[in-house]
Amino acid sequence: MAPESLGYSFPNDLHIMWSLMIVMYPYITGLVAGAFIVSSLYHVFGRNELRPVSRLSMVASFSFLTMAPVPLLLHLGHPERCFNIMVTPHFTSAMAAFGLIYALYLTLVLVEIWLVYRKDIILTAARSRGLKRVIFKVLALGVYDMSDDALRIDRKVIVTLAAIGIPAACILHGYVGFMFGSVKANHWWSTPLMPIIFLFSAVTSGIAMVIVLYMVISRLNQRIIDGECVQALSRWLWLFTILTVTIEQLEIVTLAYKQGEEWPIIATLLSDKLAFPFLVVQTVIGSMIPIILFGIVVLMRPFLTDPLRNTIAFVASIILLLQVFSMRWNVVIGGQIFSKSLRGFRESYVPELFGQEGIAAAIIVFIVPFVVMAVFNRYLPLHADQKEGGRGMPANVS
């Protein structure tokens, strides 16, 4: 037995069971929820300064949503049984509820994307030939009406779906925090703040990803980066970062102040076992530096040039994406490092490079949504420069 695993009451309490894939799962669902919130700020709350990223954020949410269940499937010993939660629903199981929430949210996002791109789909079908024309006519679902009245109805339905999607996105990710917070046997997880922490950090990571994607795609397509859009995203991201970090630290302060029986082991966990990922990456580098950088962007706006503001926002967003991933790692892996008996620590966890739950598989899971976005952008633009509306159905579509 390894020296660091001595002092246990339970002989089966030695190994970390939830691996890197369980870290990836809340990270990806967080990006989904955060990106959708950005889209909803434009569609529901009329934040027109976010129009340049309204389509991008929605498609990004959809792309990551398609990969959200994959980490769980890679972790399961029998992934082929995943459909059992649909055919044999268990309404008192929180884990089974994920399947139902996921299916509802995926359907909602798909319908909203179809409505947003319906005019583009019809126009693409009209000017294409061969297989591409057939595919886009199928995507049009036989609805070719682009009159002002039809587009006005589309717009109303989009707003309604986006409004419904806000609580759905919050539930999708708040549920992940609920899963951890409801594990009463783990004092690091079992806190009512856990769903809130997961939800706010999800919005933070989603907005950060939209900023990074918008700047990278604009640079690759040689398009001008909208300064008002970046400024607005930075303002929202600064707000959610402050809220997220405050709640995260309040959780630690509460545990320290209560001085419960779990605090000695958690204090050792944070100051020793998780000293680098928690104190250095998550708290100092990942939290303080972005708060300062976005504070500069928001408070010193009149003194910043567009390139300088964009560079600061881009760097701070990258750091925040790492911060949120570090937070997921510290919660999922850190919460399994100490034993349930509170008398010692388990063996260290180092993910394998290859294998079903290895680093290579995690990288592939993370890259696939970007490939989906690239393919999407190949046929339907992610940018939203053209004013929505229509002048009628092209004569050669149907």
Side-chain angles (χ1 to χ4, degrees):
M1 183 179 296
E4 62 269 22
S5 61
L6 293 173
Y8 284 84
S9 294
F10 309 115
N12 60 344
D13 194 19
L14 289 175
H15 307 293
I16 290 178
M17 303 303 293
W18 288 3
S19 65
L20 176 61
M21 285 300 154
I22 305 302
V23 179
M24 293 295 297
Y25 166 63
Y27 188 65
I28 289 178
T29 56
L31 296 175
V32 171
F36 188 86
I37 294 297
V38 174
S39 172
S40 295
L41 286 174
Y42 167 73
H43 289 294
V44 180
F45 299 102
R47 306 306 305 183
N48 290 325
E49 65 272 21
L50 299 179
R51 176 180 171 80
V53 296
S54 60
R55 289 186 170 190
L56 168 64
S57 55
M58 186 184 303
V59 175
S61 179
F62 168 74
S63 301
F64 278 94
L65 189 60
T66 59
M67 294 300 291
V70 175
L72 292 180
L73 296 177
L74 291 174
H75 177 72
L76 293 175
H78 289 280
E80 74 279 4
R81 298 177 181 173
C82 67
F83 296 107
N84 288 351
I85 62 175
M86 298 295 182
V87 297
T88 58
H90 194 300
F91 296 105
T92 60
S93 168
M95 290 293 289
F98 167 75
L100 301 176
I101 297 171
Y102 175 82
L104 172 65
Y105 187 65
L106 179 62
T107 303
L108 186 148
V109 173
L110 270 175
V111 174
E112 187 176 348
I113 287 180
W114 182 79
L115 288 169
V116 169
Y117 281 95
R118 193 174 70 84
K119 180 181 176 182
D120 298 82
I121 291 171
I122 296 171
L123 292 176
T124 304
R127 60 175 176 256
S128 300
R129 294 291 180 271
L131 180 60
K132 184 177 178 181
R133 178 184 174 91
V134 173
I135 292 175
F136 275 86
K137 287 185 68 174
V138 171
L139 290 176
L141 302 179
V143 182
Y144 299 114
D145 188 356
M146 293 201 310
S147 64
D148 290 342
D149 289 340
L151 293 177
R152 193 177 302 112
I153 294 174
D154 286 355
R155 177 65 186 164
K156 290 181 179 177
V157 177
I158 290 170
V159 172
T160 302
L161 292 176
I164 297 174
I166 294 173
C170 294
I171 292 173
L172 178 69
H173 198 71
Y175 144 85
V176 179
F178 168 79
M179 289 299 300
F180 285 98
S182 60
V183 181
K184 291 182 287 186
N186 191 308
H187 297 283
W188 178 232
W189 294 343
S190 183
T191 164
L193 287 176
M194 194 59 75
I196 301 173
I197 292 174
F198 268 72
L199 183 58
F200 276 89
S201 60
V203 178
T204 299
S205 63
I207 299 175
M209 180 191 66
V210 169
I211 290 178
V212 173
L213 279 174
Y214 175 55
M215 292 190 183
V216 171
I217 292 175
S218 297
R219 181 61 61 91
L220 291 177
N221 293 333
Q222 297 181 335
R223 303 178 64 86
I224 297 175
I225 297 174
D226 188 295
E228 289 299 320
C229 180
V230 175
Q231 187 71 33
L233 287 171
S234 299
R235 193 162 53 243
W236 284 105
L237 187 49
W238 191 42
L239 170 64
F240 279 103
T241 302
I242 292 174
L243 292 175
T244 303
V245 173
T246 301
I247 297 174
E248 288 175 356
Q249 297 307 311
L250 277 176
E251 182 196 21
I252 304 299
V253 171
T254 302
L255 288 171
Y257 184 76
K258 288 167 59 179
Q259 290 290 312
E261 61 176 358
E262 72 280 3
W263 176 244
I265 194 75
I266 291 179
T268 306
L269 173 74
L270 299 179
S271 61
D272 184 9
K273 298 294 181 179
L274 295 180
F276 180 75
F278 178 75
L279 296 177
V280 178
V281 179
Q282 181 181 339
T283 304
V284 178
I285 298 177
S287 300
M288 297 299 106
I289 292 179
I291 287 177
I292 294 172
L293 292 178
F294 279 118
I296 294 173
V297 171
V298 175
L299 300 177
M300 302 183 66
R301 177 182 181 181
F303 307 101
L304 299 179
T305 62
D306 283 354
L308 178 58
R309 182 210 40 236
N310 295 343
T311 302
I312 295 174
F314 182 83
V315 172
S317 298
I318 291 288
I319 296 174
L320 275 177
L321 288 172
L322 296 176
Q323 190 268 357
V324 175
F325 183 83
S326 175
M327 176 266 180
R328 306 294 194 248
W329 176 276
N330 293 332
V331 170
V332 177
I333 304 300
Q336 301 176 82
I337 290 180
F338 63 88
S339 71
K340 296 184 181 66
S341 65
L342 301 177
R343 296 179 59 189
F345 292 94
R346 291 171 167 171
E347 61 186 9
S348 301
Y349 171 73
V350 178
E352 58 183 350
L353 181 57
F354 301 103
Q356 188 172 327
E357 299 185 66
I359 296 174
I363 293 174
I364 293 174
V365 168
F366 189 70
I367 288 178
V368 168
F370 296 101
V371 176
V372 172
M373 279 185 276
V375 174
F376 198 103
N377 189 46
R378 174 70 177 80
Y379 299 101
L380 295 170
L382 295 177
H383 56 83
D385 289 342
Q386 297 176 352
K387 185 177 181 180
E388 293 177 1
R391 295 189 295 271
M393 183 185 73
N396 59 343
V397 175
S398 56

